[in-house]
Amino acid sequence: MSLLRLRAALLGPARLRGAGIPWSVLRNYSSASAKEKARRSAICERTELLEVLKARAKQLQANNVPEMTVNKVELAPLGNDKYQDLLQKVVTPGRAEEQPAPSGKGESPAGPSSWVEKSKKELYIRQLKVERKLSIAASRLALEGQAKAKPKSKRKGKAKAKAKAKKRLKRPKAKVAAAQSQSHAGSRSVYAHSKPRVVAVKEAAKAQRPQSVLENKDSSQHNVLQQTIQANLECFLFLQQPEEAERLLLLYHRSPVKRRLLNVNAYNIVMRIWARKGCLQHINRLFSMLESVGLQPSLDSYAAALECMGRNQSSTKAIQRCMQQLKKNGFRVDELFQKCLFEEDEKEKVLRAIRIVQPNYQLPPPPSPQTCKSSLLQDFYSKEKMVSYPKLDFSVQELQERFQQQLEMELNNTITIESVESTKPLTPQAIKARKLLATLRSRWHDSILQALQKSKRSMSKLKTVSGYNILYPYLCLLPDEEYVGIMLQILNTLSPQGESLAVLARELGSKVYNRYITQRKLRSRQLEKVQEVYEDYIHLLAKDSQTDEYLPREYWEKLVAEAGFGPSLNLKDSSWPYMLIMRLGMHMLELLVHAVKVPRNALNPRLEHKLIPVLYHIYSFRSSWQVGLIKPHPIFSQIVSDAAETLLTFNSSAIPMLCPPVPWTSPHFGAFVLNDTKLMRFVDGAIQHQLLLEQCPPVNLHPVLDALNQLGNCAWKINQPVLDIIISIFNDKGNEKLDIPPPISEAPRPPTTPSNSSTGNKSEKHELLLYKKKTAEMHSLRMDALYKLSIANYVRDKVFWFPHNMDFRGRTYPCPPYFNHLGNDVTRAILLFAQGKPLGPRGLDWLKIHLINLTGLKKRNALQERLEYANEIMEEILDSADHPLTGRKWWMNTDEPWQALACCMEIAKASRSPDPAAYISHFPVHQDGSCNGLQHYAALGRDLIGAISVNLMPCNVPQDVYSAVAQQVEEFRKKDAEQGVKIAQVLQGFISRKVVKQTVMTVVYGVTRYGGRLQMEKRLKEIEFPEEYLWEASHYLVKQVFNGIKEMFSATRDIQNWLTESAKLIAQSGQTVEWVTPLGLPIVQPYYRSKSTVLNCSMQHLSVKSSNSNQKPDTVKQKNAFPPNFIHSLDSTHMMLTALHCLRQSMTFVSVHDCYWTHALTVDIMNQICRQQFVALHSEKILQDLSKFMLEKYCRPGGETRALWQKKLMEQLSNVPKTGKFNLKKVMDSTYFFS
């Protein structure tokens, strides 16, 4: 749109190109606009829709594609009655500019309506107003540019004027910008008459920009621009193009303004390129350039210089000078090998140069291993109590073969597997469709390849004219065929409903980045080193090998230290900014959209042979966001549907590992062999987590790394009988009751379309909307189940592993996203431990108790009563195991039916074996925490009543906190009803455990009264409460639930309020909330005020919301999220302590947050460890330590100079809540603490 173009002109092209957020930001969809304001007038909406349509029409005309419109596409008749449903909205080709703005209602008027004409006038008036504002803004910018020469004493006033001008420039947030043609050199305005104004403002903005971005070295834009330059230089390093790298560096170095974007790392990258060529003269020049701009060379600078000298056998005198300068700058020679990262043979060349001067020089010995001093893990890390690491049931040879299979899969980047969907006998129609699809894909491959090569040629020519094109080197990193393969993969996986441009662009860009990193690892010979070390590492795990007593991390570090020479296992950081990933992805998406075409008569030979686009670009609303979508043409969707292909392609990181994961040894290294994996998952691109982890002493992270390695080293296999039953139901129309989604063919029939959509019945339109929503949901659920079951079926005969990482609170997650033990009932039911253990004397009893737990039938009963009940219904259990689909189907009426069925089968096998105690079981038995969040609060506050409610105190039967709160609320209700409160009287008989459970459960995780009221309203609707009283009743109930919890958990509420108020004061001071867990993991809350960044592309502009550490904290989120995040960090600490101590007992242990899994044999041992570690954790002075840490961090000593907010914060943090009299050691005897 013109508005966004004008904004682009104000910001300037460089700012738009560079502005962005870290590439790790992952949005489910990206808006093509800023958020719509609720009170925006209808006139503005119509005007903006018209702008979008006009611009889109111009692009379509320019591309000679009359079939594609903003939200409609010509559907060629397919020549078959069954296809005619798709043809209800045929669009007559005509002048695109005369198409009305999309209304989302399917109308197709013959000509423009009166409001369109009116909107044109409004648009013109609006443009004049905008131009007038921009004219004023431009003159102000020019005045400010002249004011540069004024004395420093006036800077304050100047800043105010600048802020005022900026304020005046504010306008309603931009909508999705009009898509338009755009050259590589720059963008053209949609409206010709506004262009002179744009140019004028651009010039003014150019003069202003250096002060706003380049001078502010702490700004996020400055950091992203700096990161982009370094990424570009890294590309030239990879491509071995030193001249291009130096040309780009000089482009910035020679400009006093642009030079501020360069740091020593940029110069070092260029030095490394010349070092590989052995060109010392160029490196000397770069040292001179560093000196000229006042930058001091770093260790990497000297490493590059010495590498170059080692390559070309420089003179002793030159090397001596270099080493003297190194020492003069405060470095030691040993530090080159201790702190620098090397690739290929760089390390050897540096050593060769040093030995020319010091022939007897030896590499410094590796640092002696440090031991974690945490009081919680003194026994665990004690050398006296060390035991051999548990062995896997595999030989060294078998593990080596599995490693090679995993490596091959990762080298291919993707893996294609058979889908589990039933493949009907191939019909002539399917054979024909598959043949047609193969022909089309071959043509598309050639078309995309030609388009890519043409684009690269034009960029390479442009490069010589304009100086530099940002995308060109990124399109040269891989062979052209790989880019084409990536684009075709995206096309093949596109759903008929389409996908947002931002999601597709991010996926395309990320795939290129991931393959580039893989190639870098190959080129640097890092992979060779990993292979060498891994081959030795598996001796720790193999059953036929003996090693000393090491943990996986310790053994890997020992092997790396012994390897000595060769490349480093960590690559130098070369991450790409998020906006760069998006820009590259958008360019590839544009190539794909324009290159891929299908004959109009592909399915109906009677029609004219004419090529029409396979993909088209539309706009749609999601909530109040207007989103750009890419949607496939129905002809393409129909061909794909008819072909009924049965292959699925996944990234290799989506599949469980076929060998034990590489152990985590640092925040940068671990998990997959090749695929880049972060130790900590980032939300909203918040890179400050990574910085915290890097600054943290490595020894402090050892417990966390060792716990992740323990979880990842658990080997799994598939429960084949259960998987086969699930697949059979999946392929037989599914079963919603059993959580197996039905296919789209089972969706309810669509309502009849109103004859005149503009005047049609509102209820009919609403029904159509609901139908579309239901269909989309069914498709999503079906595909999710298809992916999970297909991956499970692929590994059905294999043993596999789930590498783990964690979120910013320390909660652990398996890395493969689709199929893992954190999934739903269906997924968990088909997983077994690969290692079996005998049931032992109590194992069968634990299996039976576990089964009754899964049914949800005896939650309030003692364990012995549950066991007795299991023995009573043994006939039902055996019938379910023997005849799951043809018997009495008792298992189907349980809370977790599939896990219950799997457990029935295990009990049947064990009970029928000659000696149940000797039966080898692979079945995981679960022990669940009882409202775990409240357990941690009750322990922190030593809250006696709360401790009893959540089973911290020993009791004969399990206590149910939800029932207790419901009872308390009922007592409040009775009192109010007696006093004549109307709503209390209406609620008689409606208060139950089910109504209050969700709110009680989420209070501990920071639910507000507003959120609680919505939860209550939903529950009341489910039990058919009178609708007219819903709002009042839910409002009343949430108030009483909060009062009930406050009365029962008095210390809990005090702690929650203390945490909330502390976080509020910290955030109001402009800082984020940070703390360190009792295991030493540093945590920072990543909540900042978001900011929209515009990505300017020819198809459309993308407005991407970003939040980063250079922006102010979001006070509300920081405040509300601190209590639940703090408790989550404690529950993850408890889980990790349990995992590590189970390891010392050679037990299998995995967790789903507060649900712990082990073999039936070791349930009793795990329960004991779990309780011991909970008591040990809460015996630490957790709140006092938190208070001390925050006082040191946020209230630095300063006496009288402290600001008022600091004094207030000091007072708040010092006032740690008082605790009750609960004896924590009672937890040791509580049967139902975890059960």
Side-chain angles (χ1 to χ4, degrees), residues 155-171:
R155 275 188 181 173
K156 199 171 182 182
K158 179 179 168 184
K160 283 183 180 176
K162 196 174 180 181
K164 206 171 180 182
K166 193 175 179 184
K167 194 174 181 181
R168 283 199 176 104
L169 274 169
K170 280 186 179 178
R171 52 177 174 69

Side-chain angles (χ1 to χ4, degrees), residues 592-786:
L592 185 65
V593 168
H594 289 118
V596 179
K597 299 184 188 295
V598 65
R600 188 166 174 261
N601 64 347
L603 294 175
N604 186 353
R606 291 173 295 174
L607 294 175
E608 174 193 1
H609 179 82
K610 181 180 177 184
L611 291 177
I612 57 175
V614 169
L615 303 174
Y616 59 105
H617 175 210
I618 65 169
Y619 296 111
S620 177
F621 279 94
R622 290 188 181 173
S623 183
S624 54
W625 292 83
Q626 193 173 325
V627 184
L629 301 177
I630 295 295
K631 207 166 181 179
H633 195 291
I635 289 179
F636 171 68
S637 299
Q638 192 63 53
I639 296 170
V640 170
S641 175
D642 288 347
E645 292 182 309
T646 57
L647 294 177
L648 295 172
T649 300
F650 295 99
N651 288 336
S652 55
S653 57
I655 305 292
M657 288 189 72
L658 305 178
C659 67
V662 174
W664 284 106
T665 54
S666 75
H668 306 279
F669 188 82
F672 292 100
V673 179
L674 266 177
N675 292 320
D676 243 16
T677 312
K678 296 289 185 188
L679 175 67
M680 192 172 272
R681 300 176 176 209
F682 301 153
V683 287
D684 294 328
I687 57 168
Q688 66 271 30
H689 297 107
Q690 193 68 24
L691 296 176
L692 264 186
L693 291 172
E694 286 166 3
Q695 292 161 8
C696 179
V699 69
N700 290 6
L701 294 177
H702 286 175
V704 171
L705 300 177
D706 291 336
L708 287 169
N709 293 335
Q710 159 69 346
L711 297 171
N713 276 343
C714 175
W716 299 86
K717 70 175 187 176
I718 294 296
N719 189 336
Q720 294 186 16
V722 177
L723 175 63
D724 289 337
I725 294 167
I726 292 170
I727 290 173
S728 70
I729 294 176
F730 181 83
N731 285 330
D732 185 27
K733 300 183 179 179
N735 186 321
E736 288 191 86
K737 183 190 170 188
L738 295 176
D739 203 18
I740 298 179
I744 298 293
S745 58
E746 297 302 302
R749 291 184 65 80
T752 53
T753 309
S755 54
N756 186 348
S757 55
S758 58
T759 58
N761 190 318
K762 281 187 179 179
S763 64
E764 288 178 336
K765 291 179 187 175
H766 184 63
E767 278 179 34
L768 185 62
L769 191 68
L770 289 177
Y771 163 74
K772 287 180 177 177
K773 186 180 176 186
K774 175 71 176 172
T775 306
E777 284 173 1
M778 285 181 69
H779 176 77
S780 177
L781 290 170
R782 180 76 177 180
M783 293 307 292
D784 179 60
L786 177 68

Side-chain angles (χ1 to χ4, degrees), residues 419-436:
S419 157
V420 296
E421 274 193 308
S422 61
T423 53
K424 298 170 186 174
L426 273 179
T427 61
Q429 185 186 34
I431 294 168
K432 186 180 176 184
R434 288 187 185 186
K435 191 175 177 183
L436 173 60

Side-chain angles (χ1 to χ4, degrees), residues 106-348:
E107 57 263 75
S108 301
S113 59
S114 59
W115 71 261
V116 175
E117 297 298 331
K118 189 178 176 186
S119 293
K120 284 181 181 176
K121 292 177 184 176
E122 290 164 356
L123 172 62
Y124 181 66
I125 293 165
R126 192 172 172 204
Q127 283 174 328
L128 289 177
K129 286 180 180 177
V130 171
E131 285 190 15
R132 186 169 174 272
K133 284 182 183 178
L134 291 172
S135 176
I136 295 166
S139 61
R140 285 181 180 278
L141 289 170
L143 287 170
E144 285 165 15
Q146 293 168 7
K148 273 175 74 178
K150 290 187 179 180
K152 288 183 181 178
S153 60
K154 294 187 180 180
R155 275 188 181 173
K156 199 171 182 182
K158 179 179 168 184
K160 283 183 180 176
K162 196 174 180 181
K164 206 171 180 182
K166 193 175 179 184
K167 194 174 181 181
R168 283 199 176 104
L169 274 169
K170 280 186 179 178
R171 52 177 174 69
K173 291 183 179 180
K175 291 282 177 212
V176 177
Q180 58 203 318
S181 300
Q182 180 186 33
S183 69
H184 294 290
S187 55
R188 292 185 287 106
S189 174
V190 176
Y191 300 98
H193 63 263
S194 66
K195 194 168 183 178
R197 183 73 61 203
V198 172
V199 173
V201 179
K202 269 187 179 177
E203 294 305 316
K206 271 185 185 175
Q208 186 65 22
R209 193 165 60 248
Q211 280 72 40
S212 61
V213 178
L214 304 181
E215 279 187 3
N216 182 8
K217 292 196 175 183
D218 294 325
S219 79
S220 60
Q221 286 190 345
H222 181 279
N223 294 339
V224 170
L225 285 170
Q226 198 172 70
Q227 193 183 6
T228 304
I229 293 164
Q230 288 177 30
N232 293 340
L233 292 171
E234 285 279 1
C235 284
F236 291 126
L237 170 62
F238 181 80
L239 296 168
Q240 286 296 294
Q241 295 177 353
E243 295 84 3
E244 290 295 327
E246 190 160 297
R247 193 165 67 85
L248 176 61
L249 186 72
L250 287 171
L251 190 70
Y252 286 88
H253 176 82
R254 285 171 178 160
S255 163
V257 173
K258 290 181 180 178
R259 190 185 298 153
R260 296 185 180 115
L261 290 170
L262 298 178
N263 60 14
V264 69
N265 293 335
Y267 293 88
N268 287 345
I269 294 167
V270 183
M271 284 186 200
R272 286 173 60 209
I273 310 179
W274 286 120
R276 287 186 187 177
K277 301 282 185 184
C279 299
L280 191 58
Q281 187 180 350
H282 286 275
I283 290 177
N284 288 336
R285 184 184 172 202
L286 288 162
F287 268 86
S288 302
M289 288 164 64
L290 276 175
E291 190 181 350
S292 71
V293 295
L295 289 173
Q296 184 177 314
S298 67
L299 269 174
D300 283 327
S301 313
Y302 290 108
L306 288 168
E307 178 203 338
C308 185
M309 292 173 179
R311 285 191 194 283
N312 61 17
Q313 301 284 312
S314 292
S315 66
T316 305
K317 196 173 179 181
I319 298 171
Q320 279 178 334
R321 274 201 308 269
C322 180
M323 290 173 68
Q324 284 167 3
Q325 188 62 38
L326 178 145
K327 289 171 185 173
K328 190 178 175 183
N329 282 347
F331 301 121
R332 292 180 295 107
V333 173
D334 281 357
E335 286 181 298
L336 289 167
F337 302 101
Q338 291 166 340
K339 296 182 179 178
C340 292
L341 296 174
F342 297 102
E343 297 182 9
E344 299 181 51
D345 61 347
E346 292 172 355
K347 193 174 190 178
E348 286 79 356

Side-chain angles (χ1 to χ4, degrees), residues 3-19 134 141 166 169 171 174 198 201-210 212-213 221 225 1091-1096 1101-1102:
L3 281 176
L4 200 47
R5 281 293 179 206
L6 292 168
R7 182 185 178 203
L10 273 173
L11 291 174
R15 226 176 125 183
L16 279 174
R17 182 174 66 243
L134 291 172
L141 289 170
K166 193 175 179 184
L169 274 169
R171 52 177 174 69
V198 172
V201 179
K202 269 187 179 177
E203 294 305 316
K206 271 185 185 175
Q208 186 65 22
R209 193 165 60 248
S212 61
V213 178
Q221 286 190 345
L225 285 170
K1091 176 185 174 185
S1092 285
T1093 306
V1094 177
L1095 180 64
N1096 183 6
H1101 292 180
L1102 290 179

